[in-house]
Amino acid sequence: MRANRLGVGIGKTAAVAVILLWSLFPIAFMALSSLKPAREIFAVPPTFAFVPTLEHYTALLVRWPDFFRGLWNSLIVTVGATVLTAIVSTMAGYAYSRFRSPALTRSASFLVAVRLLPPIVLTLPLFPLINWLGLSDTHFTLIVLYATFFVSLGTLLMRAFVDKIPVELDEAALVDGAGRGTVIAKVIAPLALPGMLALSVFVIVFAWNEFLFAFVFTSTRAKTAPLIVSEMLGSFDGVDWGVLFAAATIQLLPILIFVCVMQRHLVAGLTSGATKG
């Protein structure tokens, strides 16, 4: 029995080690390569002992100043889409949680169906309309598109969190003269804050890395960082892998830190549906 337990423990440890190696190797390779001299990035056999250099980061600053403008655009769009998604999803989740009707039931199925569609199906028909409205290449367009794409999942997620809040709290506030808007803002939102944070993690990761919408609807003013990174891959002068790895590392770093800090809320969001009821 003891030998069996020991064998199971070794097996679990080996499985976790393989998963960690599989997941972390690309990130470690990218970050280390951004600090290696160019001739050592793809050296065979690979070198693990090297003198770190910031030459690639300096070259990135000189040769690709648009990348940092793209980071700023990514930040604006990500924050805007996250705030808009959290507000709309909380209000919609409240409606689905507190009211019952055949129309709401059917529309919930529609929300799931929309989320399953490939983004390109929704993107191309919108292009002529947004162009006609003069909203192409603006932060506003990306914020609305990202929020729209994530509101369906956000609504279902927030509904699961609002379901856990006793309806008696709503009724007590309504008896005291509060309207539905006040109930959502002052009763539901504070209690559903963990759900809003979990939803924000999903939206931030999606919006920060999103490529397709930004590729179709932006050209210069609102171009985001992932587009600049893709341009580095298609450079006429050939790919400067050190600069590319430096840009990818800078783009990854804030979202990696954010996800690590918010890990608890991310797990809560993923398990909220499983613990419901």
Side-chain angles (χ1 to χ4, degrees), residues 122-183:
L122 307 174
T123 303
L124 293 182
L126 288 176
F127 181 77
L129 175 63
I130 290 177
N131 222 19
W132 180 71
L133 292 173
L135 294 175
S136 185
D137 200 18
T138 62
H139 298 128
F140 174 80
T141 296
L142 289 184
I143 289 171
V144 172
L145 285 175
Y146 291 173
T148 303
F149 186 73
F150 232 87
V151 156
S152 54
L153 178 63
T155 298
L156 299 178
L157 183 64
M158 290 310 300
R159 175 187 175 180
F161 275 90
V162 176
D163 280 345
K164 297 175 184 175
I165 300 174
V167 71
E168 288 79 9
L169 295 178
D170 305 24
E171 295 171 348
L174 293 171
V175 168
D176 289 341
R180 289 288 179 185
T182 304
V183 171

Side-chain angles (χ1 to χ4, degrees), residues 10-177:
I10 294 175
K12 289 181 178 178
T13 303
V16 171
V18 170
I19 293 173
L20 285 176
L21 182 64
W22 179 268
S23 303
L24 296 179
F25 174 76
I27 299 175
F29 178 82
M30 177 184 69
L32 290 175
S33 297
S34 71
L35 298 171
K36 284 183 176 180
R39 63 181 179 281
E40 295 186 24
I41 291 179
F42 295 113
V44 180
T47 57
F48 296 100
F50 59 91
V51 178
T53 175
L54 296 178
E55 63 177 278
H56 303 307
Y57 290 90
T58 305
L60 175 66
L61 185 64
V62 174
R63 293 171 51 194
W64 293 93
D66 285 351
F67 172 73
F68 296 95
R69 194 177 304 121
L71 281 178
W72 177 247
N73 289 333
S74 293
L75 180 62
I76 294 173
V77 171
T78 299
V79 172
T82 302
V83 172
L84 183 59
T85 304
I87 293 174
V88 175
S89 297
T90 302
M91 297 176 67
Y94 176 81
Y96 277 100
S97 175
R98 295 298 191 252
F99 303 103
R100 297 285 186 270
S101 73
L104 282 176
T105 303
R106 284 192 290 272
S107 63
S109 302
F110 178 74
L111 287 177
V112 176
V114 168
R115 193 66 181 81
L116 295 177
L117 290 174
I120 192 68
V121 174
L122 307 174
T123 303
L124 293 182
L126 288 176
F127 181 77
L129 175 63
I130 290 177
N131 222 19
W132 180 71
L133 292 173
L135 294 175
S136 185
D137 200 18
T138 62
H139 298 128
F140 174 80
T141 296
L142 289 184
I143 289 171
V144 172
L145 285 175
Y146 291 173
T148 303
F149 186 73
F150 232 87
V151 156
S152 54
L153 178 63
T155 298
L156 299 178
L157 183 64
M158 290 310 300
R159 175 187 175 180
F161 275 90
V162 176
D163 280 345
K164 297 175 184 175
I165 300 174
V167 71
E168 288 79 9
L169 295 178
D170 305 24
E171 295 171 348
L174 293 171
V175 168
D176 289 341

